[in-house]
Amino acid sequence: MELKIISPQEGGFVKEIQWNNEELKAAIAEKMRDYTGLVFTEDTIKDAKKDRATLNKLKTAFEDERKRIKRQCMAPYDQFEAQVKELTALIDEPIRLIDAQIKEVEEQKKTQKRRDIEELFGSIGFQLFVTLDKIWDEKWLNATVPISRIEEQMKSRMYQIGEDVAVIQKLPEFGFEAMDVYKNTLDLNKAIQEGQRLAEIQKRKEAYEEEQRRKAEEERRRRLEKENIRPVPVAPEEHKAADPETLCLDFRVWGTREQLLALRNYMKDNHLKFGKVE
């Protein structure tokens, strides 16, 4: 079965379309020189429009002839192209049928190989949180990749996962959260980054809480100092009633707000002079 061109034979195609090209080119070039440097005025604008129409008509005549010759030259080719497409359409049908059968056979082989890979995965002994879809490589289904190579890659991946787990377990903090990320992604970098992110949040939280405690303690100190260590004026008659042998004792007291208020009231009730220790 061979395509044979009966007519035209090699060399039988039109090599050249012969026409009075040079004659026309010389005549038109000579005519066009008449327009070189030509200036039209308002009085001669009608002549300009007439000349433009004449030139457009001449140009259209050449274009129409070019298209006519092209159609004549292309006619046999267009017929030949249609005939060839008709033949290739006949060939395409069995090609499609064969392709469908080849694809079906290849899909059956891939399905069987996937089963073999699943069985192999179950025999390797991966960590409990590892599933086949997490380590799956689509290239494993290629016919050029043997089961023995897939087994090597699986074992290598299992050992790597074990090393990653050991690294995560050594994290100083947030190892549980990092491990949770790793179990979902099998990505050591993401797991470590999550641990570091949580540790940074914890540090900021502790710093914030410490600052709040410091501010609260400072405020409490100022409030107690204002409420409990403020000098209380003593009435003249109360001072005169005091023991002539009055003693002075400086001391510091710790207690709750209620206790300190009660102490102050006690000293007031007993006419004890007290004030802030400088």
Side-chain angles (χ1 to χ4, degrees), residues 244-257:
E245 295 182 0
T246 301
L247 301 177
C248 178
L249 177 63
D250 295 337
F251 63 94
R252 194 180 299 271
V253 179
W254 286 266
T256 65
R257 184 172 183 272

Side-chain angles (χ1 to χ4, degrees), residues 88 90-100:
T88 55
L90 295 175
I91 299 172
D92 285 340
E93 182 60 27
I95 289 177
R96 283 192 294 269
L97 295 175
I98 294 172
D99 284 345

Side-chain angles (χ1 to χ4, degrees), residues 114 117-118 121 130-137 140 154:
R114 183 182 290 273
I117 293 173
E118 292 173 351
F121 174 81
V130 181
T131 56
L132 179 57
D133 61 288
K134 291 181 180 179
I135 65 167
W136 180 261
D137 187 344
W140 288 348
M154 281 190 177

